[in-house]
Amino acid sequence: MSTVITVSGGGFRAYDVVIGRGLLPDLGRRIAALAQGRTVIITDETVAALHGPAVLAALEAAGVRARLLTVPPGEASKSFAELERVIDRLLAFGLDRRDLIVALGGGVVGDLAGLAAALFMRGIDFVQVPTTLLAQVDSSVGGKTAIDTPRGKNLVGAFHQPRLVVADIDLLATLPPRQLRSGWAEVLKHGLICDPAFFDWLAGEGAVGAGGDPAALTRAVVRSIEIKSAIVGEDEKEVGRRALLNLGHTFGHAIEAELGFDETKLTHGEAVALGCALAFRFAATNGLCSGEDAVRVEAVMAAAGLPTRLDAVGAFSAEALVTRMAGDKKAEGGGLTLILARGIGEAFVDKAVHRAAVAAFLKTEGAS
Ligand SMILES: NC(=O)c1ccc[n+]([C@@H]2O[C@H](COP(=O)([O-])OP(=O)(O)OC[C@H]3O[C@@H](n4cnc5c(N)ncnc54)[C@H](O)[C@@H]3O)[C@@H](O)[C@H]2O)c1
Ligand SMILES: O=C(O)C(=O)C[C@@H](O)[C@H](O)[C@H](O)COP(=O)(O)O
Ligand SMILES: [Zn+2]
């Protein structure tokens, strides 16, 4: 059984997100319906070894001619150098505008392959087949594609929506526990933004999802995509409400950048968990939400094995973090834009946060 959520909005062609178990046979048929010519599956070396043969076989059974293009696993592949290499391989394969890219992997592969698809011959179609929880609940949907630069996260990219997303929960069976927990952070984020009942379920009965329970994972993926797709449908290019999906990210991206995008120290999901805890504590410090809510957010993140304290992650300079935050894509006119909350499920965008207030807050959190 599968659930199909259609992502639609004013500015882009509608597409389906198919979520369920045992979807690989169906993947061949669905891709055959989109592929007019050749298909290149962009993936990372780890995913290629684990799932490449089954995906190739599923496509072949449906009559789709496909080949694999692999990149090294990890955030370092979201780079100009890797983007150039991928595009060079696509050119060497002789792909043209009718051909199709399939992004098979986590958020790194999806962001890189999506950007390559956006740029190749000014844009060709691509399909997302997310293989991490984080990619299934978040990065495969919404059309944000990007690479990093040493100056910051996702600073070079494009909005390029996929033609289709197929999220097979069974692909998560091989995912290491740390990666499941990282994806869980983005799931919790969706509850924190706008759905307190979902957050309650995630904190209670649904918490087994963070440990890999397929039924709980399926429910978490479906509700996350319902929330994300509704927001993206309203505001594809993040001129307004879409910024809510950035809850935890202004702090989180700055911390990731300060750590040199080293996911052995902190994964993106872990950075989001810590960022959400910081955003709620900052909101509570400023009397915007209750201290109880901030404490609950921390407790639920920590119970899922996620970091919530800056000083437990590393030694940071408040000024360095605030400078990174001011370089975030949401920032306007030298001030900081933060996603804050009036309570659990009540996130809002604050475009006029004072740098000095954030720096002082970070010092209370252990930054120097
Ligand atoms: N575009 C968006 O809207 C969006 C949203 C959220 C995050 N992101 C980006 O996504 C990236 C993080 O994505 P991620 O957490 O998926 O990391 P990732 O893509 O690096 O994957 C994590 C690790 O899991 C491995 N892996 C993937 N699937 C596997 C499987 N099924 N079994 C075993 N191992 C598997 C990968 O090889 C990798 O080592 C960040 O760069 C972040 O900025 C983008
Ligand atoms: O889809 C969005 O919009 C998000 O903000 C989702 C985030 O989880 C994701 O990490 C995204 O890549 C961050 O975007 P950025 O614009 O802050 O780079
Ligand atoms: Zn994110």
Side-chain angles (χ1 to χ4, degrees):
M1 216 195 73
S2 60
T3 301
V4 180
I5 296 168
T6 302
V7 190
S8 61
F12 59 91
R13 176 162 45 184
Y15 56 94
D16 286 344
V17 183
V18 187
I19 302 158
R21 302 191 63 185
L23 297 182
L24 279 197
D26 201 37
L27 177 68
R29 182 184 63 77
R30 288 177 177 276
I31 286 187
L34 292 174
Q36 300 174 52
R38 284 155 299 179
T39 298
V40 174
I41 302 171
I42 301 181
T43 188
D44 72 30
E45 287 149 10
T46 305
V47 177
L50 289 167
H51 300 294
V55 171
L56 277 172
L59 266 53
E60 205 168 290
V64 176
R65 281 185 297 146
R67 64 192 299 173
L68 290 183
L69 194 175
T70 57
V71 302
E75 188 73 25
S77 282
K78 280 178 58 174
S79 66
F80 273 115
E82 204 52 43
L83 177 67
E84 183 180 6
R85 197 186 69 84
V86 165
I87 288 183
D88 181 64
R89 295 319 302 153
L90 298 177
L91 291 167
F93 293 164
L95 247 62
D96 65 40
R97 281 180 168 161
R98 297 169 315 122
D99 295 329
L100 184 72
I101 288 175
V102 175
L104 173 71
V108 164
V109 162
D111 281 13
L112 176 69
L115 183 55
L119 296 174
F120 186 79
M121 298 196 175
R122 298 203 185 93
I124 63 172
D125 285 348
F126 84 117
V127 170
Q128 291 266 18
V129 182
T131 66
T132 63
L133 178 59
L134 184 141
Q136 294 196 352
V137 300
D138 192 348
S139 62
S140 61
V141 173
K144 275 190 180 177
T145 74
I147 55 172
D148 307 324
T149 92
R151 291 183 188 278
K153 182 99 176 163
N154 298 338
L155 292 183
V156 176
F159 288 98
H160 189 55
Q161 300 290 341
R163 290 292 311 275
L164 169 72
V165 181
V166 177
D168 186 341
I169 303 295
D170 289 343
L171 293 177
L172 305 181
T174 54
L175 202 58
R178 185 177 182 192
Q179 297 299 340
L180 268 177
R181 293 196 295 271
S182 293
W184 200 250
E186 301 271 24
V187 177
L188 290 167
K189 175 195 79 176
H190 289 130
L192 290 176
I193 291 170
C194 61
D195 191 342
F198 181 46
F199 188 80
D200 285 348
W201 178 77
L202 294 166
E205 196 192 331
V208 288
D213 177 77
L217 283 172
T218 305
R219 184 162 162 186
V221 176
V222 168
R223 185 63 194 133
S224 288
I225 297 306
E226 283 171 354
I227 290 170
K228 179 159 186 177
S229 62
I231 293 175
V232 168
E234 264 178 51
D235 177 22
E236 181 198 14
K237 301 274 169 67
E238 198 175 286
V239 290
R241 189 168 150 72
R242 182 166 183 170
L244 294 176
L245 296 172
N246 237 242
L247 176 64
H249 285 66
T250 324
F251 287 113
H253 281 172
I255 296 164
E256 284 183 84
E258 282 295 287
L259 292 173
F261 303 118
D262 180 352
E263 67 266 61
T264 63
K265 292 183 180 149
L266 194 73
T267 66
H268 174 71
E270 288 164 350
V272 170
L274 173 55
C276 286
L278 289 169
F280 269 78
R281 281 202 292 278
F282 181 74
T285 302
N286 287 282
L288 298 166
C289 83
S290 74
E292 288 79 24
D293 277 349
V295 168
R296 176 140 195 258
V297 171
E298 171 166 18
V300 173
M301 294 287 184
L306 291 161
T308 58
R309 289 282 160 180
L310 191 62
D311 50 7
V313 165
F316 298 93
S317 138
E319 205 40 51
L321 285 173
V322 167
T323 300
R324 296 272 190 195
M325 292 167 81
D328 178 78
K329 296 183 289 308
K330 300 184 300 302
E332 291 172 5
L336 298 185
T337 295
L338 277 184
I339 315 309
L340 298 173
R342 295 193 181 85
I344 288 171
E346 295 176 70
F348 68 96
V349 182
D350 189 339
K351 291 192 170 195
V353 181
H354 295 293
R355 279 180 71 128
V358 177
F361 165 74
L362 286 169
K363 285 182 182 161
T364 69
E365 293 282 330
S368 58

